[in-house]
Amino acid sequence: MAGSVPLASNKPSTARNRVVSESKVVKWTLIGAAVLVLLWLIVLPLAIVLTEALKKGWGVYVEAISNPDALSALRLTLLVALVTVPLNTIFGVAAAWAITKFKFRGKGILVTLIDLPFAVSPVIGGLIYVLVYGAHGWFGPWLQAHDLKVIFALPGIILATLFVTFPFVARELIPLMEDQGQQEEEAAVTLGARGFRIFWKVTLPNIKWGLLYGIILCNARAMGEFGAVSVVSGHIRGETNTLPLHVEILYNEYQFSASFAVSSLLLLLALVTLLLKNWFTRKSHR
């Protein structure tokens, strides 16, 4: 009887292994198909960007990325990310904490509003801000009377980027915090902890890797956003052009080598983001 228990417990595992196992032909066919798709859709376009950027030599490449307009676009891109990512982080943490740790009316509406930028085209998001803050918008006359500029200026670019990026941190944290439950926070309350002390000592250590992952995704979208920013920026060289907009202008002017050179800067920022994402993923798994 004692020896029959391990045999019985091994049967489900053996059956499960038979179900999920496939022949080597099927396995390598699926792997090969996946690799071909990745090469075609990701690796090949990236290789073309680098090849075209260096096609006319290092001199043309360096001149393109050191151009004052390109440097201005790079500074503006980094500035917008520097402003929007911390604001979205604060909002995302607060929203996730409220949704997962408290019961209140309108929770479903709040979750729906958080998901709204995923369902709305970024171009529509930018157009909304034009209709609200533009010269002929709701607040346009008041802004003009007080010499305040939102559309075709930095505030409009920040607002548009905030709109398209604010779900990322919240959406990364909500499932994580729901899985963790409220047991540790309730235990902290019984021990006398209150409010933000519970958050700093209990909640934050449990979500730190998910939070960093959400911040990285938010930053990547902020630096690469095109649609919403294109509507509100006005495409003013050296003032309201981010890197994606500057690439479009160069390409439309048939400065192909310069456009690919500036695109390589975005590619470099994306690679750094991916490396950080993979590092944080490994840390979180550990």
Side-chain angles (χ1 to χ4, degrees):
M1 294 295 293
S4 63
V5 175
L7 293 175
S9 63
N10 286 337
K11 288 182 179 179
S13 176
T14 304
R16 185 168 59 251
N17 289 337
R18 285 200 301 268
V19 170
V20 300
S21 63
E22 296 287 354
S23 65
K24 289 185 177 181
V25 174
V26 174
K27 181 175 68 175
W28 287 109
T29 300
L30 293 174
I31 293 174
V35 171
L36 287 176
V37 171
L38 289 174
L39 289 174
W40 180 40
L41 295 179
I42 298 178
V43 177
L44 181 60
L46 295 181
I48 291 175
V49 169
L50 294 176
T51 301
E52 292 293 329
L54 299 172
K55 189 174 182 179
K56 294 185 178 180
W58 278 102
V60 175
Y61 179 84
V62 173
E63 182 181 355
I65 63 175
S66 61
N67 182 274
D69 290 339
L71 294 177
S72 174
L74 176 60
R75 286 193 296 268
L76 180 59
T77 301
L78 296 177
L79 175 61
V80 171
L82 187 64
V83 174
T84 57
V85 172
L87 291 177
N88 281 324
T89 300
I90 295 172
F91 167 79
V93 172
W97 194 20
I99 291 170
T100 58
K101 306 301 180 181
F102 301 98
K103 295 180 180 179
F104 57 91
R105 291 182 179 180
K107 181 186 291 189
I109 297 176
L110 177 58
V111 174
T112 301
L113 291 176
I114 290 174
D115 292 335
L116 185 62
F118 289 143
V120 176
S121 168
V123 174
I124 301 301
L127 181 60
I128 291 171
Y129 287 110
V130 173
L131 295 176
V132 174
Y133 300 106
H136 302 287
W138 293 354
F139 302 111
W142 184 88
L143 291 171
Q144 285 184 331
H146 293 79
D147 196 24
L148 298 174
K149 202 170 184 181
V150 175
I151 302 302
F152 307 149
L154 178 61
I157 297 174
I158 291 176
L159 286 174
T161 308
L162 281 171
F163 174 80
V164 298
T165 57
F166 83 83
F168 286 93
V169 176
R171 264 292 149 211
E172 189 65 32
L173 292 181
I174 290 173
L176 175 62
M177 296 173 74
E178 284 178 341
D179 289 340
Q180 291 177 351
Q182 304 180 23
Q183 291 81 4
E184 293 189 23
E185 284 82 359
E186 292 171 352
V189 170
T190 61
L191 295 174
R194 291 293 183 271
F196 283 103
R197 183 172 180 83
I198 296 176
F199 173 78
W200 289 111
K201 297 296 184 180
V202 180
T203 305
L204 185 60
N206 289 333
I207 65 171
K208 61 181 180 181
W209 296 118
L211 175 60
L212 291 171
Y213 187 74
I215 290 173
I216 289 174
L217 293 178
C218 180
N219 181 70
R221 180 61 187 274
M223 291 189 298
E225 175 55 30
F226 178 85
V229 173
S230 177
V231 175
V232 302
S233 72
H235 297 263
I236 305 172
R237 283 194 180 216
E239 295 184 23
T240 63
N241 271 345
T242 58
L243 279 178
L245 301 184
H246 188 59
V247 170
E248 183 199 27
I249 288 178
L250 292 174
Y251 193 85
N252 289 337
E253 293 178 347
Y254 302 103
Q255 300 183 48
F256 299 123
S257 295
S259 66
F260 281 109
V262 177
S263 298
S264 69
L265 293 179
L266 283 171
L267 176 59
L268 177 62
L269 293 174
L271 291 176
V272 171
T273 301
L274 286 176
L275 290 175
L276 289 174
K277 168 185 169 294
N278 290 333
W279 184 77
F280 285 131
T281 301
R282 289 197 301 269
K283 294 287 289 185
S284 64
H285 288 165
R286 292 177 184 174

